[in-house]
Amino acid sequence: MTIQTVGVVGCGQMGSGIAEVVARSGYRVIVREVNDALLERGQQRIRASLERAVKKGKLSQADADAVWERLTFTTTLDEMRACDLVIEAIVENKEAKQELFAALDTITPPHAILASNTSSISITAIAAATSEARRPRVLGMHFFNPVPVMPLLELVRGLETAEETLATARAFGESLGKTIIVAKDNPGFIVNLLLVPYLLDAIRWLEYGLATREDIDTGVKLGLNHPMGPYELSDFIGLDTLLFIADAMYDEFRDPRYAAPPLLRRMVAAGHLGRKSGRGFYEYQR
Ligand code: 3HC
């Protein structure tokens, strides 16, 4: 199956990164947000990222203009009818995703593949909101933030995902320049399954008073050569997102490794969500 037109539903941090990378790889992209204000913010994010690439000499102005030409922005979900593949990157809420997939199932052509960028919600549960004929064409396509920089794409095979769908998604992901890994449909898939308990542990050790957050972050960065320490990375991911993934894992596995530490829960309750709110383990200019 040939993919020519790709829909991206949701143009937040992840959706805008996905739309940019897909358009930069030569596909036509239709981006949908729920209202004009969010659409405008998403557009600005993509424009700023393209401008940065031009300034850094990674992209010519002509190529950036061509990428922009391939992008269409809309608030109308019906426009997804032109898509061979739709990638969903909306809020991490099972009911919202199921509602969207049920609608996409009726709007998109029968051959279209529907993918979710979820980090923690079951692909099988999302696919269950679609018709029996569509379910083999539903899978997880989990990108990493910042999407234009991170070289990995994790594909997630739901219970009913067809081999052909997986093969098409693999070829598509490789055409974006990403390296593909394939995971079973369990909360956290591969990467978050290993990452989240480590971040939760780091928060527990901070609560215990092991060392300062700066020293723990420096230890991980310089001792392990990670680009970010655990608190910097938690702030970068978003503490609400981290808590959501941890809770989903704990619900599934009932293992204390995945139990969110009280400090994380309190920070989220206080609105200290990390970079996006200007304050998390560290403070940020907004
Ligand atoms: N969009 C496009 N390019 C970006 C970017 C963005 N948002 N942010 C950074 N870049 C590019 C820069 O242009 C620069 O490119 P160059 O080296 O070719 O000039 C390069 O990335 C490095 O950027 P900077 O020099 O500005 O900053 P850093 O060296 O501090 O790198 C970072 C920033 C790439 C974010 C790095 O700190 C990093 O890799 N951090 C870890 C990120 C990570 O682990 N992400 C995964 C999170 S988990 C996840 O997403 C899963 C989810 O389910 C939770």
Side-chain angles (χ1 to χ4, degrees):
M1 176 193 155
T2 322
I3 291 173
Q4 287 178 329
T5 303
V6 178
V8 177
V9 181
C11 196
Q13 187 68 43
M14 295 303 287
S16 57
I18 294 167
E20 179 191 335
V21 166
V22 175
R24 283 177 74 163
S25 304
Y27 298 94
R28 267 178 31 81
V29 184
I30 302 171
V31 185
R32 188 261 187 176
E33 252 303 353
V34 282
N35 60 45
D36 288 335
L38 288 174
L39 197 63
E40 177 59 29
R41 276 177 65 186
Q43 268 177 292
Q44 273 171 10
R45 219 177 278 121
I46 298 174
R47 201 178 292 126
S49 186
L50 290 174
E51 278 168 13
R52 177 158 63 174
V54 170
K55 261 199 204 119
K56 289 202 164 186
K58 290 189 209 161
L59 197 66
S60 71
Q61 188 58 54
D63 285 344
D65 292 344
V67 171
W68 195 249
E69 283 293 304
R70 286 195 286 275
L71 285 155
T72 306
F73 295 90
T74 181
T75 52
T76 311
L77 194 63
D78 269 351
E79 301 221 5
M80 294 293 146
R81 66 181 174 268
C83 297
D84 308 301
L85 164 69
V86 179
I87 304 172
E88 166 274 313
I90 66 166
V91 60
E92 279 291 269
N93 175 293
K94 188 165 96 177
E95 287 70 34
K97 288 190 195 284
Q98 286 179 322
E99 200 177 305
L100 175 66
F101 272 69
L104 287 172
D105 186 23
T106 63
I107 293 167
T108 56
H111 73 270
I113 291 176
L114 305 183
S116 174
N117 178 56
T118 183
S119 50
S120 53
I121 296 169
S122 163
I123 296 302
T124 309
I126 295 171
T130 66
S131 60
E132 277 184 29
R134 180 76 64 177
R135 289 178 196 175
R137 300 184 170 279
V138 178
L139 85 162
M141 290 182 90
H142 184 217
F143 289 83
F144 292 80
N145 186 25
V147 182
V149 180
M150 302 302 283
L152 186 70
L153 173 60
E154 203 172 34
L155 298 182
V156 185
R157 189 200 300 257
L159 207 59
E160 296 178 73
T161 306
E163 279 305 319
E164 196 192 334
T165 303
L166 213 59
T168 305
R170 179 187 285 277
F172 171 74
E174 285 171 350
S175 77
L176 305 182
K178 303 296 184 195
T179 297
I180 310 299
I181 58 174
V182 181
K184 252 174 74 170
D185 183 19
N186 63 272
F189 314 129
I190 296 171
V191 176
N192 283 339
L193 190 65
L194 298 172
L195 172 68
V196 170
Y198 148 71
L199 296 177
L200 298 179
D201 243 358
I203 298 170
R204 275 190 274 271
W205 284 116
L206 188 67
E207 274 180 317
Y208 167 81
L210 173 73
T212 63
R213 62 199 163 178
E214 288 84 358
D215 277 3
I216 298 173
D217 272 346
T218 301
V220 167
K221 282 191 288 188
L222 301 188
L224 298 173
N225 230 0
H226 287 201
M228 289 176 167
Y231 313 112
E232 289 172 318
L233 184 54
S234 298
D235 278 355
F236 185 69
I237 290 170
L239 301 190
D240 51 343
T241 303
L242 177 60
L243 177 61
F244 193 86
I245 302 173
D247 282 345
M249 286 174 162
Y250 187 76
D251 266 0
E252 177 93 1
F253 302 119
R254 296 281 156 193
D255 182 324
R257 262 185 302 175
Y258 307 108
L263 176 60
L264 175 61
R265 220 173 270 289
R266 300 230 163 83
M267 288 176 79
V268 172
H272 300 173
L273 307 182
R275 281 199 189 195
K276 63 179 153 191
S277 73
R279 183 169 174 191
F281 290 102
Y282 297 98
E283 293 196 3
Y284 303 88
Q285 298 274 334
R286 298 186 69 201

